[in-house]
């Protein structure tokens, strides 16, 4: 399978090259030029496999320069039972009215990012080998809105031949997310707070990637860059697997029949997770509407509802679902590439408009594609809290703030359209990562700050604190550096 830059189809690479590079040299995102199609036999076979087997098989469809043996061995390590609290890596919990929660947060950092970031270090180190990159140390630069940072640190800590540097917005993450990052152990890790928001951090990292001077400096020091953000195909590919797996689980549990249409609703920030669902649909998983759920930073809701005008010129809100506080959704670029029939010239033009003016509008002819596949909605902090409370009171199921956004947006989608198909809602984080807003939603605000929050929420709800969060108690802070967003280049010295 070949990969091309979304901005220039003449830039053709293998999967290993795409993963090693992270982003295309012209600033585009690497995209596979075809999607594998799942046959009825493929579904039959997938039903018989566990999560590890399904993930390896699906990755094999995309990463054709990796052997089945390699991918199976990676999946065994990435999704080892002891890392995911048991054999059920990505369980589906069914609630009332055909709502099925796909719980993606049973990994080591309690957010869905683990599903990809436990796999990426294996894919990346193998990709470096396959592309002949054996001498330079690979420096992973990560911009995080809270969860990616910790998941990437956990995935890459002490991986030979790599260093990892995480940038997070100083006031933009939850106390638990921050504690997870600043206490990270490992000899090859660095964590820096940026005075700015997530978009500032992400833009700065993208700038470093495409800055010729920085590349030269690094090269001279025996280093190279790569990315663990969802701009890297190696981040996105493992996410496709859990959508296919969830569909198989619903069939196996007798909740649906093979071939039944199921909608998918995803709490969305950088558009990576929902793009993975779109790709699963393109592969032949019978998904109906993909519902894109946003918080008060509703740039994507407006994009879909306006029929394709993206306008990031608007206030940035800090919300109780910080991992979705994003105004520039990187992976929308890949969607544009596919719905335009892989029109690299168009994508390049629109991305240049976005960089210059902050706005672009897709051609009229592409609008139907958007509405055929997607619906969108948004929900503010007050409605998010109300949803957490209602779902807990009525169904005794505890939602985190991000998943609650999706739950609410889906309820509103159903009420507005009468579409009663079953739905898979991506549950993206443990509620224990966001103790304060969750407890406040339940009517019992928590006053304590450190890890005592965890016990307070456990007591309030009768739920168990996830072991990796409980283990933060008593860990010492290793990283307290704060830099201005314009000084980010100077932090590269930390890697030298
Ligand atoms: C990252 C994240 C999201 C957003 O996912 P994208 O792939 O960026 O759209 C939603 N919820 C949680 C908890 C996250 O960590």
């Amino acid at each position: 399978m070949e990969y091309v830059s979304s901005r220039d189809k003449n830039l053709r690479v293998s999967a290993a090259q795409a993963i090693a590079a992270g982003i295309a040299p012209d600033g585009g995102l690497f995209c596979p030029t075809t999607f594998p199609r799942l046959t009825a036999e493929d579904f039959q076979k997938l039903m018989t496999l566990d999560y590890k087997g399904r993930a390896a098989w699906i990755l094999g469809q995309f990463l054709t320069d990796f052997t089945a043996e390699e991918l199976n061995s990676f999946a065994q390590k990435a999704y080892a039972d002891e890392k995911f609290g048991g054999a059920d890596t990505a369980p589906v919990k069914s609630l009332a009215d055909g709502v099925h929660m796909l719980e993606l947060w049973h990994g080591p950092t309690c957010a869905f990012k683990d599903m990809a970031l436990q796999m990426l270090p294996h894919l990346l180190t193998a990709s470096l080998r396959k592309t002949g990159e054996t001498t330079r140390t690979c420096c992973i630069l990560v911009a995080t809105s809270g969860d990616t940072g910790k998941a990437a640190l956990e995935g890459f800590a002490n991986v030979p031949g790599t260093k990892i540097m995480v940038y997070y917005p100083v006031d933009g993450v939850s106390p638990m997310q921050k504690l997870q990052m600043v206490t990270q152990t490992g000899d090859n890790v660095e964590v820096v707070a940026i005075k700015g928001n997530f978009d500032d951090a992400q833009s700065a990292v993208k700038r470093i990637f495409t800055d010729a001077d920085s590349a030269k400096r690094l090269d001279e020091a025996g280093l190279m860059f790569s990315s663990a953000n969802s701009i890297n195909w190696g981040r996105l590919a493992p996410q496709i697997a859990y959508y296919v797996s969830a569909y198989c689980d619903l069939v196996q549990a007798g909740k649906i029949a093979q071939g039944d249409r199921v909608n998918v609703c995803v709490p969305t920030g950088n558009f990576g997770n929902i793009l993975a669902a779109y790709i699963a649909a393109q592969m032949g998983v019978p998904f109906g509407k993909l519902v894109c759920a946003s918080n008060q930073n509703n740039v994507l809701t407006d994009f879909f509802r306006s029929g394709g005008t993206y306008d990031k010129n608007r206030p940035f809100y800090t919300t109780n679902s910080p991992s979705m506080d994003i105004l520039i959704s990187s992976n929308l670029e890949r969607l544009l590439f596919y719905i335009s029939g892989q029109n690299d010239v168009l994508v390049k033009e629109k991305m240049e408009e976005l960089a210059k003016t902050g706005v672009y509008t897709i051609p009229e002819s592409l609008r139907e594609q958007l509405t055929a596949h997607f619906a969108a909605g948004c929900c503010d902090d007050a409605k998010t809290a109300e949803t957490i409370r209602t779902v807990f009171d009525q169904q005794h199921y505890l939602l985190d703030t991000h998943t609650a956004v999706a739950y609410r947006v889906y309820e509103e989608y159903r009420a507005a359209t009468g579409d009663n198909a079953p739905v898979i809602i991506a549950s993206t984080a443990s509620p224990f990562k966001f103790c304060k807003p969750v407890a406040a939603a339940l009517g019992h605000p928590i006053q304590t700050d450190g890890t005592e929050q965890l016990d307070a929420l456990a007591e309030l709800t009768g739920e168990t604190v996830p072991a990796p969060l409980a283990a933060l108690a008593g860990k010492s802070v290793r990283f307290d550096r704060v830099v201005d967003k314009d000084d980010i280049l100077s932090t590269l010295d930390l890697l030298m």
Side-chain angles (χ1 to χ4, degrees):
M1 183 168 289
E2 274 193 322
Y3 292 77
V4 295
S5 165
S6 53
R7 299 184 194 181
D8 180 3
K9 283 192 285 191
N10 292 320
L11 273 169
R12 290 182 168 271
V13 298
S14 67
Q17 286 171 318
I19 292 170
I23 191 169
D26 62 349
L29 306 187
F30 285 120
C31 298
T33 53
T34 53
F35 292 129
R37 287 293 295 187
L38 297 173
T39 64
E41 293 76 52
D42 292 335
F43 274 107
Q44 286 311 315
K45 179 189 159 73
L46 285 165
M47 299 280 176
T48 66
L49 302 176
D50 66 1
Y51 190 83
K52 303 176 189 83
R54 289 173 183 172
W57 192 89
I58 290 156
L59 281 172
Q61 304 298 302
F62 287 96
L63 312 182
T64 46
D65 41 350
F66 289 66
T67 66
E69 210 179 3
E70 280 177 307
L71 293 171
N72 273 308
S73 125
F74 298 164
Q76 291 298 331
K77 290 183 235 170
Y79 305 122
D81 294 355
E82 61 272 19
K83 284 187 174 174
F84 281 79
D88 225 356
T89 314
V92 180
K93 303 264 170 77
S94 297
L95 303 183
D97 306 323
V99 172
H100 305 283
M101 308 302 293
L102 170 56
E103 293 184 352
L104 300 169
W105 42 263
H106 292 278
T109 76
C110 306
F112 89 91
K113 306 293 198 293
D114 289 327
M115 301 301 297
L117 282 162
Q118 284 297 311
M119 176 56 80
L120 184 63
H122 300 290
L123 296 178
L124 185 66
T125 46
S127 295
L128 293 171
R129 248 189 346 263
K130 285 176 196 289
T131 55
E133 183 60 69
T134 49
T135 51
R136 290 185 295 176
T137 297
C138 184
C139 299
I140 319 291
L141 301 186
V142 182
T144 185
S145 56
D147 290 324
T148 300
K150 178 60 180 182
L153 289 164
E154 197 63 31
F156 281 98
N158 295 327
V159 171
T162 70
K163 288 188 182 182
I164 173 160
M165 173 96 111
V166 169
Y167 300 98
Y168 73 91
V170 66
D171 294 319
V173 302
S174 86
M176 205 53 63
Q177 289 176 317
K178 181 174 173 189
L179 191 62
Q180 283 184 300
M181 289 189 276
V182 298
T183 58
Q184 177 66 44
T185 55
D187 297 333
N188 61 339
V189 306
E190 281 290 345
V191 179
V192 175
I194 297 287
K195 284 188 214 151
N197 59 37
F198 170 75
D199 290 316
D200 296 324
Q202 175 164 262
S203 302
V205 167
K206 277 193 188 164
R207 216 160 46 232
I208 298 178
F209 273 122
T210 41
D211 179 46
D213 269 357
S214 302
K216 187 158 164 275
R217 264 181 72 209
L218 244 74
D219 189 44
E220 283 162 8
L223 308 170
M224 63 172 284
F225 289 132
S226 191
S227 166
N229 282 102
S230 53
I231 53 177
N232 192 328
W233 177 250
R235 245 304 282 283
L236 216 52
Q239 297 182 201
I240 301 164
Y242 51 71
Y243 288 108
V244 182
S245 178
Y247 191 88
C248 291
D249 283 347
L250 288 178
V251 173
Q252 276 185 313
K255 310 267 182 193
I256 57 169
Q258 173 72 46
D260 283 358
R261 186 172 67 86
V262 175
N263 292 334
V264 179
C265 181
V266 184
T268 303
N270 226 353
F271 208 75
N273 203 1
I274 194 168
L275 187 76
Y278 170 81
I279 295 173
Q282 297 297 304
M283 292 171 73
V285 182
F287 287 154
K289 273 286 185 307
L290 307 175
V291 181
C292 175
S294 302
N295 64 22
Q296 198 183 356
N297 294 294
N298 59 357
V299 58
L300 287 167
T301 314
D302 290 348
F303 173 73
F304 285 108
R305 290 195 173 163
S306 67
T309 296
Y310 195 90
D311 183 356
K312 76 157 183 100
N313 300 321
R314 59 179 71 212
F316 179 96
Y317 299 103
T318 301
T319 73
N320 284 332
S321 41
S323 302
M324 296 154 68
D325 290 346
I326 292 175
L327 292 180
I328 306 174
S329 293
S330 295
N331 273 294
L332 201 58
E333 177 167 350
R334 284 188 169 110
L335 181 69
L336 193 53
F337 182 71
Y338 289 119
I339 62 168
S340 66
Q342 309 195 3
N343 186 340
D344 53 347
V345 177
L346 175 80
V347 173
K348 184 172 158 61
E349 184 187 301
K350 295 299 162 193
M351 291 305 123
E352 281 171 358
E353 274 177 48
L354 179 66
K356 272 203 206 88
T357 66
V359 192
Y360 67 85
T361 299
I362 65 171
E364 184 96 38
S365 56
L366 304 184
R367 290 190 181 171
E368 213 209 313
Q369 287 256 27
L370 280 190
T371 44
H373 296 290
F374 291 91
C378 56
C379 161
D380 63 15
D381 278 349
K383 282 186 179 177
T384 305
E386 195 180 287
T387 306
I388 291 172
R389 181 166 187 155
T390 318
V391 173
F392 189 72
D393 285 352
Q394 296 177 354
Q395 309 198 53
H396 208 80
Y397 187 82
L398 191 62
L399 299 164
D400 93 284
T401 47
H402 304 73
T403 311
V405 167
Y407 194 98
R408 177 65 170 239
V409 164
Y410 198 76
E411 275 185 331
E412 290 180 1
Y413 165 80
R414 256 191 184 166
T417 59
D419 179 351
N420 266 324
V423 62
I424 293 171
I425 296 182
S427 174
T428 49
S430 159
F432 285 91
K433 287 194 94 163
F434 308 95
C435 296
K436 282 195 174 180
V438 170
L442 298 176
H444 297 274
I446 296 174
Q447 308 302 342
T448 52
D449 266 327
T451 47
E452 304 81 31
Q453 294 175 64
L454 297 166
D455 303 322
L457 187 61
E459 197 159 308
L460 183 60
T461 59
E463 302 282 325
T464 312
V465 180
L469 297 181
L472 291 173
K475 284 207 176 156
S476 50
V477 172
R478 293 185 65 208
F479 304 100
D480 57 5
R481 190 183 303 267
V482 184
V483 304
D484 202 84
K485 65 175 195 271
D486 298 321
D487 290 339
I488 191 168
L489 274 177
S490 70
T491 61
L492 291 182
D493 292 340
L494 295 169
L495 294 167
M496 309 274 176

